[in-house]
Amino acid sequence: MNRRWLLVAVAALALAPPAIGQKKGAKELRWGTDPTGGGPYIYKDDPNGFYVGFEVEFAEYLAKKLGRTSTPVEAEWSTLPELLDKPRAGEKGIDIVLNGYEARDDLKAKYAATVPYYQYRLQLVARKDDEAVTGWPDLGPQKKRIGVLEGSVAFDYCNKRYPGQVVPNKDVATMFNAVADKTHADVTVQDNPACVFYVSDPQYKDKFKLVDDGRQPGAYVIYLRKDDKELQYELDNAIKEGLKDGTLRKMYKKYGIWNADQEWLCKELTGDFPPDDAGTVERAGRGGAGTLWPLIPQLVKAAGMTIFLAVASFPLAMLAGVVIAVGRVYGPGGVRVPFAVYVEVVRGTPLLLQLYFLFFILPKWLPFIAFDPLFIGVLGLAINYAAYEAENYRAGILSVPRGQMEAALALGMTPFTAIRTVIVPQAARVVIPPVTNDFIALFKDTSVCSVILITELTRKYNELYNFNRDLVVELAFLTAGLYLLMSYPLAVLARVLERRLGTASGGSR
């Protein structure tokens, strides 16, 4: 191509107008969400397709109004507001929380909130064949087990009125399954959008009934940082405009969740009712994979993340464990005591709590550092397992006869050289079985990393399980098989090393 025409083409691209609804160089509108919660908020009809749901479309609408691009950031539902506390410069930070979060005083005290974008009520759902449940008054006397979403308004409402009967869970779909299968819950209390979605779901055909009227009306709002005044103003205006011009009405009708409460909300925020000419809207349904094959690549990819977390963190844990063990056995008091405290504190506290501290609390003390979730995941696992490996190696070191160290020193070796070349190699032979067991356990413990924005195998299983409930058994066996494929070669390798080195089998955890 002629150089002149090349320059003209480049200039034309540079001067081309931005895409409709986006400003040139538009930045992202990063919104925190938890897809495992399911419909109608955010879910998948096609396992290999894009997310759908009324909040997905709502986020796209808001992003278009603001001249941004909509970017969902996946995390566990209960920790979404915490992501607003991340350093603004952080690569994985979010701008807003948009995932069926109720207007709550405790959250409003810490974060800014927009005007409501949806008015909900708590709805009671029971099995269609359960004739004993005809209304809310039946729950108490009959001691019905009530499944609710942990940390939600429904949880607080039911816990105060029906103490001892509440069965909390982090997943809405799990509660509906428990009621349908007559296992862990007799009824469930959820926000009415979720109830409408699951009751009309073909997977639950003729299984559920909506009981009595909705209670405890409330509102969904968007949470954001308190100093994001301009963003809050833009979001408020976009919500009001969407209600007034019928955009949100059309969107909500698509998912079957438009009702009289939304008419009232529109009147309350805009002074008028939405137009009636929104048109006939085809109800959004829920498809389903129907087959396991499209899901396998997603599980395999998530298994790759599990392998990476384990392989990246365990060598660090082993190295730190050796240092700590040697320090506790041969170090001075100023070294032994801190190492002993470290081991006891780490072993005595849950891994989940340690990851939470590293990812959510530590950045508040060090706001100038952008902590990447993957880095925190590897670091947290290494710190946790280092304590256990330290005890393994300490036991191995103590099993080496004292005369070995004395003989090495008598031959002129320095203490460091004696430890490195005589003591540690002999201890390593003894600790092969427990160290291998810990490595295998680490593959399963990586599932805890889902709390810090990492999608590994267990989280991906939970997500696919919610979107493909007709394949529950198949997904469970496939996920278990992938974990077995990751861990079994390690067990075989450990047995080979044991035979070669003449060590005995054992375990440490």
Side-chain angles (χ1 to χ4, degrees):
M1 180 185 291
N2 186 286
R3 179 177 295 180
R4 177 184 296 177
W5 287 110
L6 179 61
L7 293 174
V8 170
V10 173
L13 288 173
L15 296 175
I20 296 175
Q22 296 182 9
K23 299 177 182 178
K24 183 179 178 181
K27 64 179 182 179
E28 297 175 313
L29 178 65
R30 299 175 62 84
W31 51 287
T33 182
D34 185 359
T36 63
Y41 307 92
I42 176 171
Y43 63 103
K44 283 186 178 182
D45 277 332
D46 179 356
N48 291 315
F50 298 103
Y51 286 120
V52 296
F54 86 91
E55 287 188 328
V56 176
E57 296 189 23
F58 181 50
E60 291 171 351
Y61 161 78
L62 294 175
K64 183 177 179 180
K65 279 289 187 181
L66 273 58
R68 300 191 183 190
T69 58
S70 172
T71 303
V73 178
E74 300 179 24
E76 192 172 295
W77 189 82
S78 60
T79 65
L80 289 175
E82 302 283 352
L83 297 180
L84 292 172
D85 298 330
K86 301 292 293 176
R88 192 182 302 272
E91 181 183 342
K92 296 295 184 180
I94 63 173
D95 301 306
I96 60 175
V97 172
L98 173 60
N99 197 190
Y101 256 86
E102 306 97 342
R104 290 164 33 188
D105 292 337
D106 58 330
L107 290 175
K108 285 185 175 181
K110 193 172 183 181
Y111 308 104
T114 64
V115 296
Y117 65 88
Y118 189 85
Q119 197 76 11
Y120 74 92
R121 293 175 186 264
L122 298 183
Q123 180 67 55
L124 174 61
V125 177
R127 291 190 304 276
K128 187 168 285 189
D129 60 359
D130 191 350
E131 298 179 356
V133 180
T134 60
W136 294 89
D138 296 329
L139 300 184
Q142 298 182 33
K143 297 296 181 182
K144 292 290 186 179
R145 297 169 298 172
I146 308 169
V148 295
L149 178 65
E150 184 178 295
S152 66
V153 169
F155 174 82
D156 293 334
Y157 179 85
C158 294
N159 216 26
K160 291 176 182 177
R161 289 161 179 78
Y162 312 104
Q165 297 176 234
V166 175
V167 182
N169 194 278
K170 294 183 178 181
D171 182 49
V172 175
T174 299
M175 287 291 91
F176 278 96
N177 284 334
V179 176
D181 299 336
K182 305 180 182 181
T183 51
H184 306 297
D186 303 306
V187 299
T188 183
V189 175
Q190 306 287 347
D191 298 350
N192 56 335
C195 295
V196 169
F197 179 81
Y198 283 98
V199 169
S200 61
D201 192 325
Q203 299 291 330
Y204 295 121
K205 185 179 180 181
D206 299 327
K207 284 191 175 182
F208 293 128
K209 62 181 178 180
L210 299 178
V211 181
D212 215 333
D213 296 327
R215 290 191 175 185
Q216 195 80 0
Y220 291 154
V221 297
I222 299 172
Y223 287 103
L224 64 163
R225 299 178 183 88
K226 280 197 170 184
D227 58 354
D228 278 348
K229 301 294 184 182
E230 182 178 352
L231 178 57
Q232 183 182 3
Y233 176 78
E234 292 176 336
L235 292 173
D236 285 345
N237 285 340
I239 293 171
K240 293 176 183 178
E241 289 177 18
L243 284 169
K244 190 171 185 179
D245 64 17
T247 300
L248 296 189
R249 175 181 179 144
K250 185 175 182 180
M251 188 184 302
Y252 294 165
K253 285 182 70 176
K254 180 178 178 181
Y255 293 92
I257 59 173
W258 180 266
N259 52 36
D261 286 336
Q262 313 322 311
E263 301 271 358
W264 174 88
L265 179 62
C266 182
K267 177 71 173 179
E268 187 75 9
L269 292 180
T270 68
D272 200 0
F273 291 106
D276 293 327
D277 58 354
T280 303
V281 180
E282 183 178 353
R283 175 78 173 269
R286 177 191 174 277
T291 175
L292 190 64
W293 294 108
L295 310 180
I296 294 176
Q298 298 185 54
L299 286 172
V300 171
K301 181 179 178 181
M305 175 58 71
T306 295
I307 293 173
F308 173 80
L309 289 170
V311 172
S313 61
F314 199 69
L316 297 176
M318 291 178 64
L319 179 61
V322 171
V323 173
I324 294 170
V326 171
R328 291 193 65 186
V329 175
Y330 296 110
V335 172
R336 291 198 304 271
V337 173
F339 279 167
V341 171
Y342 165 82
V343 169
E344 297 307 323
V345 169
V346 171
R347 291 198 306 167
T349 55
L351 172 58
L352 177 62
L353 183 62
Q354 295 164 19
L355 286 174
Y356 189 93
F357 171 82
L358 291 173
F359 191 69
F360 291 108
I361 299 178
L362 189 61
K364 295 179 182 179
W365 299 346
L366 304 172
F368 51 87
I369 300 178
F371 290 93
D372 181 77
L374 202 55
F375 169 77
I376 293 296
V378 172
L379 179 63
L381 291 170
I383 289 175
N384 179 269
Y385 271 78
Y388 295 96
E389 301 319 299
E391 287 301 276
N392 288 337
Y393 278 108
R394 188 169 72 93
I397 291 173
L398 294 176
S399 69
V400 178
R402 263 186 152 178
Q404 297 285 327
M405 172 63 84
E406 296 172 356
L409 295 177
L411 292 173
M413 293 184 184
T414 63
F416 176 77
T417 301
I419 293 171
R420 180 174 59 85
T421 61
V422 178
I423 305 300
V424 170
Q426 294 186 70
R429 295 174 56 193
V430 178
V431 302
I432 286 176
V435 168
T436 304
N437 283 348
D438 283 347
F439 197 12
I440 294 173
L442 179 56
F443 279 95
K444 292 169 285 186
D445 281 349
T446 56
S447 61
V448 181
C449 292
S450 62
V451 77
I452 59 170
L453 309 183
I454 295 177
T455 301
E456 39 62 58
L457 185 53
T458 297
R459 178 174 176 82
K460 179 56 67 174
Y461 163 77
N462 288 333
E463 177 185 317
L464 295 178
Y465 157 78
N466 286 336
F467 303 148
N468 304 273
R469 292 185 296 278
D470 52 334
L471 298 172
V472 173
V473 176
E474 294 89 338
L475 281 171
F477 274 103
L478 179 57
T479 303
L482 287 171
Y483 274 114
L484 184 61
L485 286 175
M486 290 186 286
S487 60
Y488 184 70
L490 295 174
V492 173
L493 177 61
R495 285 196 290 269
V496 171
L497 292 175
E498 290 169 22
R499 285 196 298 267
R500 288 187 177 183
L501 299 176
T503 57
S505 298
S508 63
R509 299 183 73 176

